[in-house]
Amino acid sequence: MNPDIMKERQNATFDVEKLTNILDGGPEKTKRRREIESMVLSDPDFKEEDPNFLSRSERYDQAVRKSAQMILKLREYGIADPEEIYCYKNCVHPDRPEPLDLHLGMFLPTLLNQATPEQMDRFFMPAWNLEIIGTYAQTEMGHGTHLRGLETTATYDPATQEFVLNSPTVSSIKWWPGGLGKTSNHAIVLAQLYTQGNCHGLHAFIVPIRDMSTHVPLPGIVVGDIGPKFGFQEVDNGFLKLENVRIPRENMLMKYAKVEPDGTYVKPPSAKLTYGTMVFIRSMIVGESARSLAKACTIAIRYSAVRHQSEIRPGEPEPQILDYQTQQYKLFPLLAMAYAFTFVGQYMRQTYHRITGDINEGDFSELPELHALSAGLKAFTTWETNSAIEVCRMSCGGHGYSCSSALPDIYVQFTPTCTYEGENTVMMLQTARYLVKSYRQAKAGQQLSGIVSYLNDAEHRRVQPQPVAARPTVVDINDLTSLKEIYKLRAAILVELAAKSIQQELQRRRSQEDAWNNSAIDLVRASDAHCHYVVVKLFTDKLGEISDTAIHSVMSTLALLYALHGITKNSGDFLQAGLLSVPQVMQISVRIKELLSQLRLNAVALVDSFDHHDKILNSVLGRYDGNVYEHLFEWARRSPLNATEVHESFHKYLKPLRSKL
């Protein structure tokens, strides 16, 4: 064990194990997670070559092998709880995507949510037993987030009682679905439904794409892999072109909407029923933001504790780079953010389960709020995490650029979350639509409930920026309740400004659509402020549940740092609205420095509490024992370029060059 990192752990002021329990949701959850981890990590069937040293085809091959083993083991051990399956999968493929992701995460859940009992009998067990391997083909080359623009068609032919599916244009070719290129033999295809001469919008169809025994593409199916990407090398993201492909009428998912044998269309009871899967996945992504950020912070902070560089005082030993205030300023606010997002992820999971219960009872009242919240928080957490991972990588200097650090991998695997399941700017605008609607309801005298209830007070506030001296400022910058209040007011003011911007555009005789587009920058800022308030509120609320005084103390410091750092990054908003004075903003900068030095003692213990096993972290720089340099050398020696002492290119090009010059 590296002596520096040992000393860091001895300095901790709280019990790491107790904090891990809080993050996991209780000691029994921690125990079970570790059982699953050791089951996977000690299993020789999951041994793997370091993917950094493999070609793309080898990475795909290795991922498929491990996924196949994973399915067998899950059955063998009888692991059926969705959260435990998710945990098991994350140990088999540590935060790396895998070819069966869409089969497990989209194909099976969509069947469960949208198939009729007869369709479940036909498709679910074969899919459960992987005779059917499915993917979810929604995105096309020409359209992603804007679903109404999708061009694939499914036209009903009553003579044969079949749907005929087509990709009528180049831009309508399905593009990006994971597992579509080489792995899947079925796809749930989203297509525009035409029957009796009318288009009824997007519906889902189960389409066989490869022969069940030979795996050769079926007639009319053009399918393959879309080629190398920024990351996701293990996954065969694919294309699918449909040329007059006929499927039986019973292959349309018909739990809600139906097409009768004669072609009559029957509408679904509620357009919102299909929101469920989408909201669930967005809530999951919030949790993934927290986990990826926690990993990046673990690597950067542990490495900063064992790396010595330069000198603060001439003639003295080189300090740990974690002793530099600039390094603390880069990393500690991100550590606070990782904790904040972890608690937001827990809240989203609980809210989703609670509201799903209501939906099953036929109560849809809270769905619009959950939809808006999951869209906004998905965008807010992924954007913030995406930038933060890169800050962690750069804070590790040159070695952070090496794949051995795991940081490049964490970044390229995480960054697509800003785009998939709803492009972030579009998500923010969806949240803004809900906020503006709620604001207008409050203005019309309705009492709002839920997380937007702060808009009820909009009428009692003077939004015009005014000289701060004109009213006493009552904000206590050391009091989280007080800070939560000004985050709330900032959100309310920015929502009001966005709503007024739309109003002004309409008064200039702009159409609704143009008024919206011309106010979009303000709308995104309003959503961002709303989400920021929600995160500060949930972090503050979480403190009320923590009884251990030592942990409560360090969590309060983190929450305060998160809130104050957010103010300095957006100080213009707070100053403009007269929520803070210039002297207070300067005071906050001083206070942040004090909080950094308070957290310095516990920095390593705080990342230890995330409890990422070395094999799952897979980082030479972030090793638990801190023995970085020996293992960095060992890792480099394993590079395939070192397989021979003299590379063949020397004999082919460099040696002949000598005789030619």
Side-chain angles (χ1 to χ4, degrees), residues 50-174:
D50 187 326
N52 291 303
F53 300 144
L54 300 178
S55 69
R56 170 138 195 254
S57 182
E58 289 166 337
R59 283 176 84 146
Y60 170 70
D61 182 280
Q62 175 160 278
V64 174
R65 174 181 68 77
K66 289 172 69 180
S67 295
Q69 283 295 335
M70 174 179 82
I71 301 289
L72 286 173
K73 308 273 175 175
L74 287 170
R75 303 290 154 84
E76 185 187 326
Y77 299 131
I79 296 174
D81 174 68
E83 287 197 6
E84 292 198 350
I85 291 175
Y86 187 67
C87 174
Y88 194 93
K89 189 180 103 52
N90 272 338
C91 299
V92 175
H93 302 276
D95 274 319
R96 284 201 296 273
E98 49 104 4
L100 293 181
D101 273 350
L102 264 75
H103 175 75
L104 300 167
M106 289 296 283
F107 190 83
L108 291 173
T110 305
L111 285 179
L112 285 168
N113 290 326
Q114 295 180 44
T116 62
E118 302 78 53
Q119 289 174 322
M120 285 295 284
D121 290 345
R122 268 178 67 210
F123 294 110
F124 192 79
M125 281 324 287
W128 184 247
N129 292 323
L130 270 87
E131 290 158 44
I132 288 177
I133 298 176
T135 183
Y136 189 81
Q138 173 174 295
T139 300
E140 295 172 0
M141 196 191 283
H143 288 90
T145 301
H146 181 58
L147 299 183
R148 284 196 303 272
L150 295 176
E151 301 171 275
T152 303
T153 59
T155 308
Y156 185 63
D157 177 356
T160 58
Q161 295 201 17
E162 290 174 315
F163 288 101
V164 185
L165 279 92
N166 271 295
S167 308
T169 59
V170 172
S171 53
S172 72
I173 296 170
K174 294 293 180 188

Side-chain angles (χ1 to χ4, degrees), residues 336-337 339-341 343-344 347 373 377 380-381 384 451 479-491 528-544 555-556 558-567 570 574:
M337 198 196 322
Y339 272 90
F341 290 177
F343 298 140
V344 173
Y347 170 83
L373 190 63
L377 286 173
F380 183 82
T381 58
E384 291 276 314
I451 209 119
D479 175 42
L480 274 167
T481 310
S482 193
L483 294 172
K484 183 169 74 172
E485 193 60 28
I486 62 167
Y487 267 96
K488 180 167 86 177
L489 292 173
R490 168 190 175 228
D528 188 74
H530 170 72
C531 294
H532 209 157
Y533 157 63
V534 171
V535 175
V536 170
K537 176 187 179 326
L538 293 175
F539 201 166
T540 309
D541 293 352
K542 184 72 188 182
L543 296 176
M555 286 296 109
S556 302
L558 278 176
L560 195 54
L561 177 62
Y562 180 75
L564 293 178
H565 187 257
I567 290 172
N570 300 282
F574 292 95

Side-chain angles (χ1 to χ4, degrees), residues 179-340:
L180 174 61
K182 295 289 169 192
T183 312
S184 302
N185 56 25
H186 281 66
I188 288 176
V189 173
L190 269 82
Q192 303 287 355
L193 166 62
Y194 287 85
T195 178
Q196 297 178 340
N198 295 317
C199 178
H200 293 283
L202 279 187
H203 288 73
F205 301 85
I206 300 174
V207 182
I209 55 175
R210 289 176 178 271
D211 183 281
M212 296 282 278
S213 57
T214 64
H215 209 59
V216 172
L218 296 169
I221 299 279
V222 181
V223 67
D225 175 82
I226 62 168
K229 306 157 298 264
F230 192 23
F232 272 55
Q233 307 309 353
E234 288 78 6
V235 177
D236 52 326
N237 297 80
F239 59 76
L240 173 65
K241 187 169 187 284
L242 300 153
E243 298 170 342
N244 291 317
V245 174
R246 286 181 169 265
I247 57 169
R249 181 182 70 91
E250 298 78 19
N251 278 31
M252 171 179 155
L253 289 175
M254 294 207 223
K255 185 172 179 181
Y256 300 119
K258 295 179 179 57
V259 171
E260 304 286 8
D262 67 354
T264 308
Y265 177 72
V266 184
K267 278 206 322 218
S270 160
K272 297 198 171 73
L273 283 163
T274 51
Y275 275 17
T277 316
M278 193 163 63
V279 169
F280 173 68
I281 297 225
R282 287 177 190 161
S283 304
M284 294 280 282
I285 290 174
V286 174
E288 283 184 14
S289 299
R291 209 173 45 256
S292 296
L293 181 52
K295 286 186 160 185
C297 286
T298 301
I299 295 164
I301 287 173
R302 282 182 182 164
Y303 178 62
S304 299
V306 299
R307 174 81 168 174
H308 290 255
Q309 200 72 192
S310 278
E311 46 187 21
I312 294 177
R313 294 181 197 80
E316 291 195 8
E318 292 184 299
Q320 296 161 278
I321 57 173
L322 200 52
D323 287 337
Y324 288 102
Q325 191 183 57
T326 47
Q327 190 76 344
Q328 295 170 13
Y329 188 64
K330 284 175 203 170
L331 296 176
F332 294 177
L334 304 185
L335 177 60
M337 198 196 322
Y339 272 90

